[in-house]
Every structure is written in structure tokens, then in C-alpha cells.
Amino acid sequence: MPQAHPLLDSLDWPAVFAEATGLFRDLLRIDTTNSPEHPGNEIEAARYLEQRFAEAGLSVEVLESAPGRGNVITRIKGDGTGGPPILLSAHLDVVPAEAEHWEHPPFGAEIHDGCIWGRGAIDMKNMAAMEAMAMLLLQRHGCSLKRDLIFAGVADEEEGCELGSLWLVREHPELVRAEYAISEIGGFSLHVGDKCFYPVQIAEKGYVRLTVRARGTPGHGSLPNADNPITHISRAAQRLAEQRLPHHSTATARAFIEGLARNQPFPNSAILRGLLRSATADFILDHLLPDPSFSASIDALLHNTANPTVLRAGLKINQVPSEALLRIDGRTLPGQSSEDIVREIKAVIGPEFEVTLDSAADPTVTDADDPIAGHIEQVMARQAPGGIVLPMLIPGFTDAKAYSQLGTRCWGFSPVQLEPEMNFSSMFHGHNERIPVEGFHFGVRTLLDLVTTLVL
Ligand SMILES: [Zn+2]
């Protein structure tokens, strides 16, 4: 196996970890909560990083897409012999935290029980700090790069990327154009049985936002009404709750599930493989997978999904309305179009409803056999011997949706080691978000290993 770049052996790692941890905790203390009521205010985090980069002699730009919505970009030039640029990207905003449900303050960055606690500890100020540290180290050591390395700390991912990565791709594509982008969500340890896996994100589902409309006969609330649109629309919601959309076995699903199955004893291996067959998948999802959150993730990997999320009908207690609306958050697998999922939804809810498409974004997928996969495998073999790298699809979306519009191949690799009992996905947007200090150090070193492998 090739060695890591000599830079890694020459570093004073305790000092690097201390600096990266300081930078990370500073970012956690900056409240960049982003919600409709509380726009991100990422500018403070962007200015903070600007200052750290400028101190190291990097030229850096802060771009405001709207007042207070800061994006920060810096670049180390390479000679281009290794190819087009590599982009390291992290969103600087976080989702709201209900402090009363936390054991430690969400913007305190306190250290307890070997963990750093705070909103953004996993999603994804850890990665912002790791990426910034890689930039600072390459700059300080005067490394000559064979391709440009870009860092983008972006706004607004948690509210749809409009004022962050999408804005940059639209308004300043030359600043973020790259062959590869490395960002969330992947590189975390996932313990299944006695094996440790490291899923790496190579695909994300698309989304389709729909309105289902039921019409009926309006009338007085005092009279029976068999044509009440509220009861009609509730049947549509009920049918979606009772029936999955059809099973699809995509290349990413096959690679992920086969990778898990190969490393599990019988009968677990056979049960896992059964998920790839439409005849057995639903039974296994409902009855044989022990952990509901694992089952839900696998379910989303094998199906387009449709969740009713908004219901609107009626104005007055004594009046049957003439129509009722149900909004549906649909998610599409790679290879599936908006038309495909609309057809599937119509088949489940029945022909009596009017369905309109409000907005949609295609799934993104990159090739699991891309050359970068080999580099990630080597890095993980060095940094986490025995760990098994698995290509993964995520049900949601990230800044990869934006960057892939520029032809960038997006890889979700934000390395972190978690204790077996810590559930990565429950930490995302959940209470008590935290990261083990050691697991963060692992991330700093592993990301630097990958970055040096790619650019030096
Ligand atoms: Zn995120």
C-alpha cells in the first residue's frame, strides 16, 4: 500500500489537533442558526475564517449573497499538472436547537465525556474546521500543489442552498468550479455486527414537490355530505401511509447492500441480500431489520418516497369547503424522473385526484468506480485499518446538488469516528449533537491524508 505524503509524518500532531479544535470550537460558538424566522447570519463565521486565512497569508474573499449571508472562499494555486481544481466545501449554517432539551448549551462548544457538544458538531462545522486546517497547513508548509485547492464555506444549505452554493454556482462559477468537490455526508464510522463501515456519499436523491387536490361539493356543515373534499384528501394520505411506492434496485443500493452483506455472517448476509429483491424487500424492512432508523434508511435507498407534509382545507366550522390540498414531499432515486414518481404516486392514491408538480430537482449520482474511490480506500486503509468503505446514497440533498451543475463530481467524505453506540443519523439535526474529541482528531488527520494524496 502506498505511504501517506511525508508532510503527514513531519507534523507536530498534538499542536495541529489543538489548533483545529480551537478553530472548530470558535465556529461552534458563532450562532449561525438558519430557519425562515432566523436567517443564517453566516457572515460572522465567514469573517472569522477570513481572518484565520488572511493571517496565514492566503488571499480570501467574503461574498455576501444577501445582507448577513456570508460565503467565504480561498484558493491555493497549483501548477495544474494533476488536473483541474479540488473543492473542499462546508456549509456554515446550522439548524435551530431547542436549548431546553440539551444537556449542554448548543452554542457553548463545551467538552464533556470526551465529546465536543454543539449545534453543528457533526453537521458540519467539524468539516469546515478540518478543511480550513488542511488549507492552513498546506499554505504554511509552502507545499507546491499539482492542482488548485479551493475552500468554500457557504451559507444557507439548511434552507435549500439558495443563498450559498446555488448562488455561487450561478453568480461566481469561476470561484468554485472543480473536478471534485469533497463535502458532507459520509466518512463516518457505522458499526454493524462486529464490523466497522465507512459509508461515502456518492449519490443523493432528487426531490419532487407536489400538490394533490381533491374537489367536492360545498355545503352547510349541518347536512351529511358524501362529497366532502376533506374526507377525499384524507384517503389519499391514508393510501400513501399504507403502501410503499415500487421497489427499485439501483447500482448504488446494490453496491451498499452487497458491501454490507459480504461482511456479515449468515443468516444476516442472506437477509440483507433479500432487500435487493422486490418480492422480499418489504417483508424484511417491516419485520427483520432490528433498528427502525436503519430500516428507514434502507427503505429510502430502495424506493422513491412520498410524505404528506402540508394539509390545507376549510375556512369555517359550519361549512364544507369545495376543495382540499395535500402537499407531498417526494424523493426520487437515481435513474428516476419526476414523471416516474408522479406516476407511482397516482397509482397509489387513485385517479380521482388532481396532481400538480410544484418544483423538482434531479437526483445526483457519481460513479462508484471513479478513480477518487481508490484514493479514499487507500487513505482509509492507512487511517482506519479494517474499516470497510461503502458507497452510499443519501435520501436528502446537500450542496452537491449545486456543484454538480458545474459538472463537478461530488463525494461526501467528512471523516469522523464515533463510538459504536453513537448513532450518526440521530445526531443530525437532533438534540445533544456532539462529536468525540478523538473522532474529530481522526477526521483532521484523515482529511489531510486525502487532500495531500490528491493535490501534492
Ligand atoms: Zn449538513
Side-chain angles (χ1 to χ4, degrees):
M1 177 178 55
Q3 300 287 303
H5 190 274
L7 174 68
L8 268 79
D9 286 331
S10 73
L11 292 173
D12 174 1
W13 281 104
V16 171
F17 292 149
E19 182 180 356
T21 304
L23 201 154
F24 174 33
R25 295 176 72 195
D26 286 344
L27 285 174
L28 286 175
R29 289 189 197 99
I30 302 172
D31 181 351
T32 51
T33 300
N34 188 18
S35 67
E37 306 74 46
H38 189 299
N41 193 36
E42 298 88 349
I43 190 76
E44 253 190 80
R47 292 272 179 234
Y48 170 82
L49 288 170
E50 177 187 36
Q51 195 188 334
R52 302 294 294 256
F53 289 138
E55 283 162 9
L58 285 159
S59 64
V60 51
E61 266 184 281
V62 171
L63 300 105
E64 258 179 301
S65 50
R69 311 308 300 274
N71 296 275
V72 57
I73 297 186
T74 185
R75 175 188 298 248
I76 306 177
K77 292 290 286 176
D79 62 17
T81 54
I86 302 276
L87 170 65
L88 304 176
S89 176
H91 63 81
L92 302 175
D93 59 327
V94 296
V95 294
E98 298 166 279
E100 64 278 17
H101 295 294
W102 284 56
E103 282 173 47
H104 303 291
F107 298 99
E110 293 178 9
I111 299 183
H112 299 277
D113 314 319
C115 290
I116 302 168
W117 294 62
R119 176 55 87 218
I122 293 277
D123 180 18
M124 62 177 296
K125 287 179 172 170
N126 60 323
M127 182 63 163
M130 284 151 47
E131 292 173 346
M133 198 65 228
M135 300 298 291
L136 292 172
L137 288 168
L138 292 183
Q139 170 71 7
R140 276 188 212 142
H141 286 80
C143 302
S144 9
L145 276 56
K146 59 185 185 194
R147 41 164 84 198
D148 287 13
L149 183 66
I150 309 168
F151 167 86
V154 303
D156 205 30
E157 194 272 345
E158 299 292 0
E159 283 294 317
C161 313
E162 202 46 55
L163 297 171
S165 55
L166 282 171
W167 180 80
L168 286 168
V169 161
R170 206 168 49 239
E171 304 294 329
H172 301 279
E174 69 291 352
L175 295 182
V176 290
R177 193 184 302 278
E179 181 174 21
Y180 294 105
I182 298 168
S183 188
E184 61 183 347
I185 298 169
F188 57 92
S189 55
L190 171 73
H191 300 264
V192 181
D194 59 353
K195 293 282 177 16
C196 182
F197 296 88
Y198 289 88
V200 174
Q201 181 190 320
I202 64 159
E204 49 189 54
K205 286 176 106 168
Y207 66 80
V208 176
R209 294 172 176 164
L210 303 165
T211 300
V212 177
R213 183 177 270 104
R215 299 193 194 278
T217 307
H220 198 274
S222 62
L223 285 171
N225 188 331
D227 191 27
N228 182 330
I230 295 180
T231 51
H232 296 331
I233 206 82
S234 56
R235 274 197 289 277
Q238 183 67 19
R239 286 167 187 159
L240 286 170
E242 284 167 356
Q243 197 183 330
R244 285 188 176 87
L245 302 183
H247 178 274
H248 300 283
S249 168
T250 62
T252 317
R254 286 195 297 276
F256 182 80
I257 288 172
E258 262 304 324
L260 277 182
R262 255 199 313 276
N263 292 285
Q264 295 296 313
F266 185 83
N268 294 2
S269 53
I271 292 171
L272 286 165
R273 290 196 176 97
L275 289 164
L276 294 169
R277 289 191 293 276
S278 57
T280 45
D282 290 1
F283 180 81
I284 294 172
L285 287 170
D286 291 335
H287 302 289
L288 299 183
L289 297 187
D291 170 17
S293 84
F294 181 66
S295 177
S297 313
I298 300 292
D299 196 337
L301 176 66
L302 297 169
H303 303 91
N304 296 328
T305 59
N307 254 318
T309 49
V310 177
L311 183 59
R312 278 210 193 95
L315 292 168
K316 212 166 168 294
I317 184 66
N318 62 351
Q319 186 182 31
V320 175
S322 62
E323 68 170 26
L325 304 180
L326 186 64
R327 295 204 64 209
I328 294 182
D329 179 353
R331 305 290 173 136
T332 46
L333 289 166
Q336 296 283 308
S337 67
S338 305
E339 293 73 34
D340 292 330
I341 190 174
V342 168
R343 194 175 58 249
E344 292 183 352
I345 290 171
K346 282 181 170 170
V348 170
I349 63 178
E352 64 269 37
F353 301 99
E354 199 179 300
V355 178
T356 49
L357 184 78
D358 303 323
S359 61
D362 289 334
T364 60
V365 61
T366 115
D367 181 2
D369 297 325
D370 189 289
I372 200 175
H375 293 305
I376 290 176
E377 295 256 357
Q378 281 171 15
V379 166
M380 294 310 282
R382 288 195 285 265
Q383 302 297 338
I388 300 155
V389 177
L390 280 183
M392 170 182 72
L393 166 136
I394 62 154
F397 66 89
T398 69
D399 292 311
K401 278 265 183 299
Y403 299 131
S404 60
Q405 291 177 16
L406 298 174
T408 302
R409 278 119 81 188
C410 299
W411 285 68
F413 184 70
S414 167
V416 56
Q417 264 173 345
L418 301 172
E419 307 302 324
E421 66 279 5
M422 281 176 93
N423 181 324
F424 176 79
S425 54
S426 74
M427 217 88 70
F428 250 77
H429 302 192
H431 303 320
N432 294 321
E433 186 177 346
R434 62 197 184 277
I435 186 172
V437 175
E438 293 294 322
F440 173 69
H441 292 173
F442 163 83
V444 172
R445 185 203 290 266
T446 302
L447 185 71
L448 187 70
D449 191 348
L450 179 64
V451 169
T452 52
T453 300
L454 295 174
V455 304
L456 295 185

